[in-house]
Amino acid sequence: MKVIRLGGANDGLCHFLSFGGFEMLLDCGVKMQSLKCEPQQGGGFAYRLELPALSSVDVGALDVVLLSNHLTLMALPLLTEVLGFKGKIYATKLTLDFGRVFLEELASLTQGENNAVFTCESVADGTETELSMYSLKEIENCCKKIRCVEYGEVVPMAYGVQVTALSSGYSLGASIWLVEGPNDRLAYVAASSGDYNRHPKELDLLPLVGCETLLLTDVKPDRDPHSNTERMVERVLSGVTRVLERGGVCIVPTSPCGVMFDLVEAVCAASLQNKHNVPMYFISEYASRVMELTLLGAEWLCEKKIEKLYAGEDAFLHESLLKSDLFHAVADVSAASAATLQNGSILFVGHPSLKFGRVPKLIQRLGNESRNAILLIGTSCHLNVTSSFTIMSVTDDTFQTDPSVEPTEAFAPFRNLEIEKIACSIDPRLSCGDANQFIARCSPYNLIVPYEYTIASPTGAVEGDDLSSHFSQVLPLHELITAKSKTELLTFPMKQFEPIVIEKASKYLDGRLDTKLAAQVTITEVNGKTAACVSGVLNVKRKAFVLEPFPTALVTPPTTFMSTGLKPKGSSKRKASLHTDSDSSSTLQSINYQDKSSLLLGQVDEDELKKQVKAVRHGGSYDKLIAVFHTVMLFDYILAQHDPQAQVYISQGQGDADVFMSIPSLDARITLWKETGKTLVETEKEDARALLTSFILAQLIVITQG
C-alpha cells in the first residue's frame, strides 16, 4: 500500500492511493484558501485558485476516484474533461447534488467581464501551469460520470478489492471510505464530525473498529475537547442577539450546505426566546434547489430528524418557517423589502470568503450603518485580536492549519465601512482531542495523519485564552497510546509529495514460473491489466515453489472440455487430447477448448499442499491436484460465458471432498468429489440451482498413460 498527499492537510484534499492492484485518488479538491481576486484593466476581476499536484500522477492510469463530501470534488471536472481521467468515480447522491451546486457557484466567477483560472505547480521543476475555469457543460458531463452509492453499500471491484461509503457526520451525504482487499483494510476519514446534535446522520464508527490502517485528515486545530459545534453556535447567537436588540441587520456569509441548516434552527429558536420576531432570508440563486435537497430521504439524517419524520413533522425547522413566511429562500436581495433591511433581519448569503457572490454588494449597501454587522462564521480563530473587528473566540495561534476564511483578509475591502465586523467561527470537524478518542476506539495498527497534526501544543495558553490549562493541553496525535494490547500504534506523519509505503506479510506464497511454461503463456487483458491463466505442476525446489509444465506422461490441458460435442464459440481455439475411464483403451479423442481469461481466487492449506507436491515428486499420483484444478476451471469457464462479472472463490473441500467453490453473486456453494464423481449444488434459489446444474457437463478424471 502506498499513499501520497497531493493537496493540503485540510484544504484542497487529494491523496494518491495504490491499493490491491488499483491506483486511486481519494478526493479531488481545490485549495479555496488560495483564492486571489485582483481587478483587471478594462473592468472586471481576475480570480486565481490553486490545484493539488494532479500533474504529478499519471491521470490516464488512475482506476478510481472516491469523493468524501461536496467540498472535495471541486477539481473533478478538470480531471475528467481536461486531464483525461477515464476510470470510475464513486460518491453518495447528496455529495453529488450539493457538489454540483458548489461547482456551478465556482464556475460563476467567469460571469461578465470576470476571468478565473486554476494554477497547478509541477513537483518536478516547480513550473506553474494554468487551466481555465470549467464551464457548465463540463460540469454536467463530469457529474454524469459519477456513480452514486448509499451508505453501507459494498462496491466490489476486481482482485477481491471492495469499497464502502460510511457516514462521516460532517454534512448531508458526507462519507468515510472503507477500502478493503485480500491483504489490507484502509479507512479514509476526512472532515468528520462527532457532534450528535447536528442534522446529518451520525458518524458511523463501528465498521472502522480494528481496521489495519487509518488515514485521518481534515481535522480542526482546536485542542479543546469541549469546543463543540453547540458552543460555537452559542457564540454566534450572542452576536446576533446583540445586533438585533439595536435594530440592526445581521449579514451571515455562508455556504449553501453544512452548518447553515443548524444555524438557521438555532437563530430561529433564540429569536423566539428573545421575542425578536425578525424575518430571515437565504439569498442565493441556488436557494430553492438547496432547500429541496434536504427532503431527499431519512437515510441521510440523524436519529432526531428521523423521529420527527415518523411523527409526521417536518425534519428541518426551515421547512415550517418557509410555510409561515418567517424564512425566505430567494435568488436575489431585491426580494427583501426596504423595510426588512431597515428594521432588522438576518441574511444568510454567499460566498463565505466575501470575494464573490451576493455578499460584497450587500455589504456595500448596508455597510454605512454601525448598527448592522457581518458575522463571519467561517473564520479561522488563531489570530490576535485587533481593533478593526471583534473575534469572539481565540485558540492556539501556532497551529495555523484551518482552511477557513482569514478575517483580516476577508474584511480588508470593507475596513472603511461603519458596519460592525464580527469573527465567530463554527467548525464542526473533529478536534485534535476528538481525533485522539476516535483513534483509540478504532485501534488501527497504522495511523497516517498530516505532519501538521503531530506538532505538540505550546506550554502556555494564548493571551486572552479563557481555557484552563487542563483543556488546552490535549495530547497531539502522535503521542496517542491505543488500547490494543501488546501492539504499538505505528504513526506515519504525512508530508506533501512524500510517499508513505506500508508493507504487510502476504497471505499468499511467492512462486517462480518456469521459463518453458512462461513461453507458452497467452497474455490477456483483464480489467485494464495484463494477465494470463497458467496451469502446470507445482514443485518445491530449495524451499521455493516453482510452477512447471505438465510432464509428457500426463495429458492435461487446463481448460479442456469433455468430448460431448460441445464446441465453445471463439476465434482462438486449439487442439488437445484427453483420456477418460470409459475409453482408456481407445485412441485419444480430439476436442476443442478456448483459453480462459478470468482470474481465480482462493486459498489452500500450505502445509497440506507441500505434502501433496512432495508426494508427487516421490512417485505419487497427480490425480487429485490436477482433477481439482481442471474441474474448477471447466466450471468457471462456462460460468464466465453466462456472467463475465461472476467470481468463483475456491478452497479445499471438507472431509473427503476435493474442492469447495463459493459463488456470491448467485448465493450458491458447490462441492466436488473426484473419486465418486459427485457434484453437490447448494442454494436456496431454484433458478440458480437449475442454472448451475446446466453448467455441469462432466467431471474430468485424469489418468496417466502407461
Side-chain angles (χ1 to χ4, degrees), residues 666-668 681 683-694:
L666 297 177
D667 191 21
V681 178
T683 178
E684 295 181 357
K685 302 176 181 178
E686 289 301 324
D687 55 342
R689 186 190 309 277
L691 178 67
L692 295 175
T693 303
S694 67

Side-chain angles (χ1 to χ4, degrees), residues 342-383:
Q342 289 295 326
N343 300 324
S345 59
I346 303 171
L347 310 178
F348 298 94
V349 60
H351 182 266
S353 66
L354 309 188
K355 294 180 180 179
F356 66 97
R358 302 283 195 273
V359 69
K361 292 183 179 180
L362 187 60
I363 294 175
Q364 293 290 351
R365 178 177 175 180
L366 302 176
N368 292 322
E369 296 191 37
S370 59
R371 63 174 181 167
N372 300 331
I374 314 170
L375 289 92
L376 205 59
I377 63 172
T379 61
S380 54
C381 309
H382 45 64
L383 301 178

Side-chain angles (χ1 to χ4, degrees), residues 591-669:
I591 64 173
N592 292 314
Y593 74 94
Q594 183 183 32
D595 286 343
K596 216 175 70 60
S597 61
S598 60
L599 299 179
L600 299 178
L601 302 177
Q603 294 179 339
V604 296
D605 187 311
E606 297 171 9
D607 294 334
E608 183 65 24
L609 180 61
K610 288 180 181 179
K611 292 179 182 178
Q612 294 186 29
V613 172
K614 289 180 179 179
V616 169
R617 292 181 61 197
H618 290 85
S621 173
Y622 287 93
D623 288 7
K624 185 174 182 179
L625 281 176
I626 296 176
V628 168
F629 292 152
H630 285 196
T631 307
V632 171
M633 289 184 175
L634 167 65
F635 181 86
D636 190 62
Y637 173 80
I638 305 175
L639 180 61
Q641 306 305 303
H642 173 75
D643 182 6
Q645 301 299 322
Q647 291 182 317
V648 180
Y649 294 86
I650 312 161
S651 62
Q652 285 186 323
Q654 298 293 326
D656 60 345
D658 294 289
V659 67
F660 174 81
M661 294 188 292
S662 175
I663 310 171
S665 60
L666 297 177
D667 191 21
R669 295 154 298 283

Side-chain angles (χ1 to χ4, degrees), residues 61-217:
L62 292 174
D63 301 297
V64 177
V65 175
L66 303 179
L67 303 173
S68 299
N69 58 68
H70 56 278
L71 295 174
T72 61
L73 51 63
M74 304 297 282
L76 193 63
L78 298 175
L79 191 75
T80 61
E81 309 308 309
V82 179
L83 300 179
F85 173 75
K86 301 298 182 183
K88 297 180 179 179
I89 308 169
Y90 297 102
T92 64
K93 172 65 175 173
L94 284 186
T95 291
L96 170 59
D97 290 338
F98 280 109
R100 190 196 299 262
V101 170
F102 278 68
L103 289 171
E104 293 177 7
E105 183 181 53
L106 197 61
S108 67
L109 291 177
T110 58
Q111 290 180 351
E113 298 178 342
N114 297 335
N115 180 47
V117 296
F118 296 100
T119 61
C120 185
E121 184 177 348
S122 172
V123 179
D125 54 14
T127 58
E128 190 174 80
T129 304
E130 288 190 357
L131 298 174
S132 299
M133 174 62 68
Y134 35 72
S135 65
L136 295 179
K137 182 64 176 178
E138 288 174 323
I139 293 174
E140 180 182 357
N141 293 337
C142 170
C143 292
K144 289 179 180 178
K145 299 173 183 177
I146 300 177
R147 177 190 162 183
C148 294
V149 298
E150 303 289 337
Y151 284 148
E153 178 184 348
V154 177
V155 181
M157 298 189 288
Y159 318 127
V161 176
Q162 62 185 31
V163 297
T164 309
L166 306 169
S167 175
S168 72
Y170 176 66
S171 62
L172 294 175
S175 305
I176 291 170
W177 284 99
L178 187 60
V179 185
E180 299 173 283
N183 287 336
D184 298 293
R185 192 164 178 260
L186 167 76
Y188 172 57
V189 182
S192 295
S193 176
D195 289 328
Y196 291 99
N197 292 323
R198 300 185 60 238
H199 63 279
K201 184 178 178 65
E202 294 85 354
L203 173 64
D204 192 359
L205 176 64
L206 187 59
L208 307 181
V209 175
C211 64
E212 294 170 337
T213 302
L214 175 63
L215 173 52
L216 178 64
T217 186

Side-chain angles (χ1 to χ4, degrees), residues 45 70 83 190 196 319 379 402 426 435 450 510 528-529 627 655-656 685 700:
F45 292 90
H70 56 278
L83 300 179
Y196 291 99
E319 297 174 41
T379 61
D402 194 339
I426 299 180
D510 292 331
K529 308 292 183 181
D656 60 345
K685 302 176 181 178
L700 294 181

Side-chain angles (χ1 to χ4, degrees), residues 465-477:
D465 194 349
D466 59 354
L467 300 176
S468 68
S469 59
H470 175 71
F471 291 134
S472 62
Q473 296 299 312
V474 178
L475 287 176
L477 297 182

